[in-house]
Amino acid sequence: MSNLLVTGGAGFIGGNFVHYWADNYLDDAVIVLDCLTYAGNESTIAGIEQAELVKGDIRDTDHVEKLLRERDIETIVHFAAESHVDRSISGPDAFIDTNILGTNSLLKAARAVWLDEGSGRPHRFHHISTDEVYGSLGPNDPAFSETTPYQPNSPYSASKASSDHLVRAYHHTFGLEVTTSNCSNNYGPYQYPEKLIPLFLLNALHGRALPIYGDGMNVRDWLHVEDHCRGIEACLSYGRNGETYNIGGGAELPNMAVIDRICAEVDRAFVEIDGLADRYPDAPAAKGRPTSELKEFVIDRKGHDRRYAIDETKARGELGYAPSHDFESGLAGTLRWYLDNEGWWRALQP
């Protein structure tokens, strides 16, 4: 039996990880530390018997130390972060507080309990980061590898880059056992509807505009959240101490292609699912019109990175990682999840 502390475990990726771990490691105890901000939702992990939710702030070092001692925790999986680029542009301070100061607080607590108190026990601090720390690629540039220099271009990515460096420093300076994974754009169930896929789905259902930044040709690598969870599992099981691994989805697509696919899936759902037009009468598809008529181009985001792409050669070779979801079926399953779980996202609406 292992005891894990999952920070941000009531959020999107963290919550999916808690589900994944509980389904596959039935004897493990999962302590979720989450301060339940707007993107943290207790209902995301409701009903998971192995998961205990502790409401708290990762910046409270004393509280984290107490949890590590009292629950005999040997693994921290650190998801907790402010992650929405638009919010980082309008209000950078929260990103500095959570992503940098919060990570430092966790590292201090881990060092105090796992190293300074002299237990000598095996441990692991796994830090979840993003491909955005690498900056932006040109159309013909090679994909990001673990040796790509950091060039963050938003307050969000700069704060994540800083936290990555802190994790590395605690390993090299103090001997903390760590791994880091840099992932590409996640999608899947339980994603807060400010991100592209759930936002556009819910807008389409309610007949609201689908706002497309710039020309819509910014390129991202799309990673199903379950594949991301499998990648983290591989890092914990096989990752070398002190190493970084890039976790990608193998689906490099321009935003416009993703948006067109969402529109097509929504149109198809209204044809195939009885009663959907009655549930969402404001959707164009409820009236027999294409969802694509809602597309609307808006002024581009400040400092909008043009292209991200992940080279996951290292993760494949050392960890045996490979994505199992293709984007088409993964997106279709995600859209059906939101249609089947209206109560979850309705509770988040203003």
Side-chain angles (χ1 to χ4, degrees):
M1 176 176 176
S2 296
N3 299 320
L4 286 76
L5 178 67
V6 180
T7 72
F12 165 45
I13 306 176
N16 275 279
F17 178 81
V18 172
H19 278 277
Y20 179 86
W21 203 264
D23 288 343
N24 290 279
Y25 297 88
L26 302 180
D27 295 328
D28 286 2
V30 181
I31 294 87
V32 174
L33 179 62
D34 200 301
C35 60
L36 299 179
T37 59
Y38 76 95
N41 191 337
E42 189 171 353
S43 66
T44 296
I45 55 173
I48 304 177
E49 292 185 4
Q50 295 137 274
E52 176 189 354
L53 175 62
V54 177
K55 186 176 180 180
D57 196 320
I58 59 174
R59 293 171 296 176
D60 186 346
T61 309
D62 291 340
H63 187 206
V64 177
E65 285 188 25
K66 184 178 180 182
L67 282 175
L68 295 178
R69 291 190 189 97
E70 291 184 351
R71 309 306 171 88
D72 197 27
I73 291 165
E74 69 271 8
T75 302
I76 295 174
V77 188
H78 176 33
F79 294 94
E82 296 282 348
S83 65
H84 191 45
V85 175
D86 285 355
R87 288 178 182 265
S88 81
I89 293 170
S90 60
D93 288 357
F95 291 74
I96 305 304
D97 288 344
T98 299
N99 299 354
I100 301 177
L101 300 181
T103 299
N104 187 58
S105 172
L106 283 173
L107 290 164
K108 286 195 300 181
R111 177 193 172 195
V113 175
W114 290 340
L115 299 179
D116 293 350
E117 294 177 3
S119 69
R121 68 178 302 172
H123 60 267
R124 176 63 60 89
F125 186 111
H126 183 74
H127 174 59
I128 286 81
S129 190
T130 171
D131 57 1
E132 296 191 40
V133 298
Y134 298 121
S136 184
L137 293 170
N140 299 314
D141 289 339
F144 300 132
S145 74
E146 291 81 359
T147 59
T148 300
Y150 276 26
Q151 293 182 322
N153 290 322
S154 71
Y156 162 60
S157 57
S159 68
K160 290 298 291 183
S162 298
S163 65
D164 294 3
H165 293 320
L166 282 170
V167 172
R168 175 182 171 87
Y170 268 75
H171 168 66
H172 284 277
T173 301
F174 304 116
L176 196 68
E177 296 180 14
V178 308
T179 42
T180 294
S181 55
N182 294 79
C183 69
S184 55
N185 274 33
N186 279 227
Y187 70 99
Y190 299 109
Q191 189 168 28
Y192 187 81
E194 65 183 357
K195 300 297 179 77
L196 190 152
I197 289 175
L199 174 66
F200 277 43
L201 168 62
L202 299 188
N203 280 10
L205 295 178
H206 293 93
R208 297 192 290 256
L210 307 180
I212 302 166
Y213 280 133
D215 62 1
M217 297 308 292
N218 300 74
V219 175
R220 301 293 182 263
D221 174 48
W222 291 91
L223 170 65
H224 193 281
V225 67
E226 183 180 82
D227 284 333
H228 188 190
C229 293
R230 292 175 47 252
I232 296 166
E233 175 190 34
C235 288
L236 292 172
S237 299
Y238 309 114
R240 289 184 289 132
N241 183 22
E243 291 296 314
T244 295
Y245 298 92
N246 282 352
I247 306 296
E252 189 180 340
L253 296 167
N255 287 345
M256 189 60 77
V258 174
I259 294 163
D260 287 341
R261 190 69 216 168
I262 293 171
C263 291
E265 288 294 336
V266 170
D267 291 346
R268 183 160 69 95
F270 274 81
V271 172
E272 295 180 352
I273 301 175
D274 291 337
L276 206 56
D278 294 330
R279 289 168 60 188
Y280 306 105
D282 294 328
K287 306 174 182 71
R289 301 200 307 268
T291 300
S292 59
E293 73 179 31
L294 296 172
K295 292 194 293 187
E296 178 180 290
F297 290 92
V298 299
I299 296 172
D300 206 357
R301 170 194 288 162
K302 294 180 180 179
H304 199 178
D305 290 338
R306 191 63 173 173
R307 173 177 168 246
Y308 304 146
I310 284 283
D311 179 351
E312 61 201 31
T313 301
K314 182 177 178 181
R316 287 178 180 268
E318 293 191 15
L319 310 179
Y321 167 78
S324 62
H325 290 78
D326 66 87
F327 183 74
E328 183 172 335
S329 63
L331 178 63
T334 297
L335 301 193
R336 292 304 176 98
W337 185 91
Y338 279 90
L339 292 173
D340 292 341
N341 291 273
E342 183 176 342
W344 182 86
W345 57 262
R346 282 284 187 196
L348 306 179
Q349 302 300 296

